[in-house]
Amino acid sequence: MAQGGVAEPSELSAKVDLLATIPNNWELTPEAFEKHFNAENKGLFRWLTKDRTRAKLSRTLYSNTDIQLTIFEENVPIEEVIADFSGGKLNLVTVSIYNRGDGAAITLQDFKTRQMAVGKAISSRLGARASARRANRQQGLLTEGFSWESPSGMAVLESNEGAASGEKIEFLRLRLARPNATGSLAAAMKSSRGGTSTRVSELPANLTRDGDGNVFIANLPMVDQGNKGYCLPASTQRVFEYYGISADMHQIAQVGESDPTKGTSSMTMSKELDKIDFLFKTRLSIIGMSSGDGNLSEVKIEKGEYYVGKSVDERKFQKSIQSLIDEGIPLLWSLELGKYPEEPNLNPQTSGGHMRIIIGYNSKTERIIFTDSWGAGHEFKTMKAGDVYLATKGLFALKPTLR
């Protein structure tokens, strides 16, 4: 059975042109989206949020079958589509045309064929010419490709640097947004610079304090890592999107050299985070990592070398969490699953190394609030603060460098 109790089908296919028929697509409601794709075949998509503001169609949505997805009159095969809704209408669409985590390696000719077909279709639908976008690592622009803008909307078609010239092809991604699109991804599409556009001083405004004593970040975007071992790239994508950085998990996996089949130790996660933080105008801070004796210790990184410092006792650990959450900064939390109870208990993964995001705390009930990158239902979960300390293998913060 798939997540949510939906039977896994043996064969499915879907055309997703409804999401790219500009400008009529911008009138699409969540209800119309659901009706359309359920009419084709139930089980084609998954809502990523309870409020139905983000949905996912993926070739690898199920473990026992491929869903054949195509776009632009079936001319272009794709891996995944994320549909974002705002104000009850379609706001933005992200299409993974290719990514190495989901698909087998493709040739340069295949890459160019897909890129050209998508570019031609977008130029026609928007009635605009493409403008070249070049990578510029000093400005945090790690992708290259093309952009379009017209009264009907805007689009960005991008790939990893060097893919179009025959270097290793990591991903090819299309984003479409309505003319008045809202949110961090739309803002990043318009920006001529990469990296975070959010200032640290702006983050406390994202906190919610409810009548039950919960203090938490309420607007952290949700993604679903799928069947891959991409808990770190998926979690990092959510934090980055919260900061206004448009990189998705596939791009983050490429830059951090993540392998979907390898383990997820806290040291592995730390090294991957250390490779990507400065590129996206963020700074990695390690609150604590499990040392050889199993206890949490401070860790400093200097020229790629890790130096263990003072131990991190529970009081210091809890104080660090509360202090960073009060600043509006989510925490990347590495742990071994299955050792301590949580509420609600919705784990699709019951054991093994994993990365979550701590988004809040409750001093009155002494519980920590966290979220998993597994889609709808995993936005808000809790665990006893003492158990969180005992379960932790690593606790990290990626902070924007803009003050």
Side-chain angles (χ1 to χ4, degrees):
M1 298 290 283
Q3 185 179 335
V6 178
E8 296 186 359
S10 59
E11 186 175 348
L12 285 175
S13 64
K15 296 177 287 186
V16 301
D17 292 72
L18 177 73
L19 301 173
T21 308
I22 303 169
N24 294 338
N25 59 330
W26 305 131
E27 295 301 313
L28 186 69
T29 65
E31 295 75 19
F33 169 92
E34 185 171 65
K35 182 178 179 180
H36 174 84
F37 287 106
N38 276 343
E40 286 205 23
N41 200 325
K42 287 185 181 295
L44 283 175
F45 72 93
R46 180 178 297 156
W47 287 110
L48 298 185
T49 55
K50 285 185 177 179
D51 62 5
R52 300 191 173 192
T53 54
R54 175 168 284 190
K56 169 184 176 180
L57 295 96
S58 173
R59 186 177 63 79
T60 58
L61 195 62
Y62 301 105
S63 60
N64 68 343
T65 187
D66 278 354
I67 301 176
Q68 302 303 313
L69 298 177
T70 58
I71 196 169
F72 303 130
E73 288 82 40
E74 301 183 74
N75 287 326
V76 182
I78 60 176
E79 301 287 350
E80 180 180 280
V81 181
I82 306 296
D84 284 295
F85 297 86
S86 178
K89 299 288 182 68
L90 186 64
N91 182 63
L92 189 142
V93 180
T94 302
V95 184
S96 176
I97 300 163
Y98 170 77
N99 69 77
R100 70 178 172 94
D102 288 327
I106 61 173
T107 65
L108 179 60
Q109 181 59 51
D110 191 7
F111 172 88
K112 289 186 174 181
T113 298
R114 297 188 196 190
Q115 186 184 54
M116 187 174 297
V118 173
K120 183 177 179 180
I122 294 301
S123 293
S124 174
R125 283 161 173 73
L126 286 177
R129 290 186 176 182
S131 298
R133 291 169 65 99
R134 294 180 174 83
N136 185 331
R137 289 189 167 241
Q138 290 185 337
Q139 292 188 355
L141 293 169
L142 307 182
T143 62
E144 59 187 12
F146 304 92
S147 64
W148 295 258
E149 190 166 0
S150 80
S152 298
M154 54 185 172
V156 174
L157 177 62
E158 53 195 342
S159 64
N160 59 290
E161 184 180 5
S165 60
E167 296 181 27
K168 189 174 181 180
I169 301 167
E170 299 283 354
F171 65 90
L172 180 61
R173 178 178 65 221
L174 170 69
R175 280 206 172 100
L176 300 170
R178 68 190 188 197
N180 59 341
T182 60
S184 60
L185 291 181
M189 288 174 67
K190 298 176 183 179
S191 176
S192 59
R193 299 180 65 89
T196 179
S197 59
T198 301
R199 296 183 180 277
V200 174
S201 58
E202 300 169 345
L203 296 176
N206 295 312
L207 285 183
T208 291
R209 301 174 187 270
D210 66 21
D212 296 323
N214 294 315
V215 180
F216 62 99
I217 298 166
N219 59 339
L220 191 75
M222 174 55 79
V223 303
D224 182 357
Q225 72 183 67
N227 300 319
K228 302 177 294 301
Y230 269 8
C231 57
L232 183 141
S235 297
T236 305
Q237 175 187 336
R238 298 177 66 189
V239 174
F240 276 3
E241 190 176 335
Y242 171 69
Y243 291 154
I245 301 170
S246 65
D248 64 19
M249 73 175 86
H250 309 297
Q251 181 181 352
I252 293 165
Q254 177 253 321
V255 176
E257 300 178 10
S258 300
D259 185 335
T261 64
K262 72 183 179 184
T264 49
S265 70
S266 56
M267 180 62 76
T268 297
M269 292 179 175
S270 178
K271 288 182 177 180
E272 290 180 9
L273 289 170
D274 189 43
K275 291 175 184 176
I276 66 178
D277 62 344
F278 74 98
L279 294 171
F280 294 101
K281 311 302 181 186
T282 57
R283 182 175 293 112
L284 173 64
S285 174
I286 302 176
I287 289 79
M289 279 178 57
S290 179
S291 56
D293 58 6
N295 295 320
L296 285 181
S297 302
E298 295 178 350
V299 176
K300 290 187 178 180
I301 307 174
E302 294 181 8
K303 297 181 180 179
E305 297 293 329
Y306 285 67
Y307 298 92
V308 177
K310 298 178 181 178
S311 63
V312 180
D313 61 27
E314 185 175 352
R315 181 177 176 277
K316 186 176 183 179
F317 178 84
Q318 304 296 353
K319 187 177 180 180
S320 295
I321 290 176
Q322 293 187 17
S323 177
L324 287 162
I325 292 299
D326 287 344
E327 294 179 44
I329 296 172
L331 294 153
L332 295 165
W333 174 33
S334 170
L335 76 158
E336 187 79 15
L337 290 178
K339 291 190 174 182
Y340 300 95
E342 55 194 62
E343 296 180 3
N345 187 11
L346 302 172
N347 287 354
Q349 178 185 337
T350 57
S351 63
H354 183 54
M355 176 163 277
R356 291 172 155 164
I357 307 173
I358 291 177
I359 58 170
Y361 64 90
N362 189 317
S363 298
K364 183 167 61 176
T365 61
E366 296 185 343
R367 297 187 75 85
I368 297 298
I369 303 166
F370 65 92
T371 174
D372 281 300
S373 303
W374 290 326
H378 298 279
E379 298 95 332
F380 188 103
K381 299 189 282 190
T382 70
M383 183 184 289
K384 289 181 180 179
D387 288 347
V388 168
Y389 175 72
L390 294 173
T392 298
K393 299 298 183 183
L395 191 64
F396 315 93
L398 284 171
K399 301 180 182 180
T401 55
L402 292 176
R403 306 305 300 180

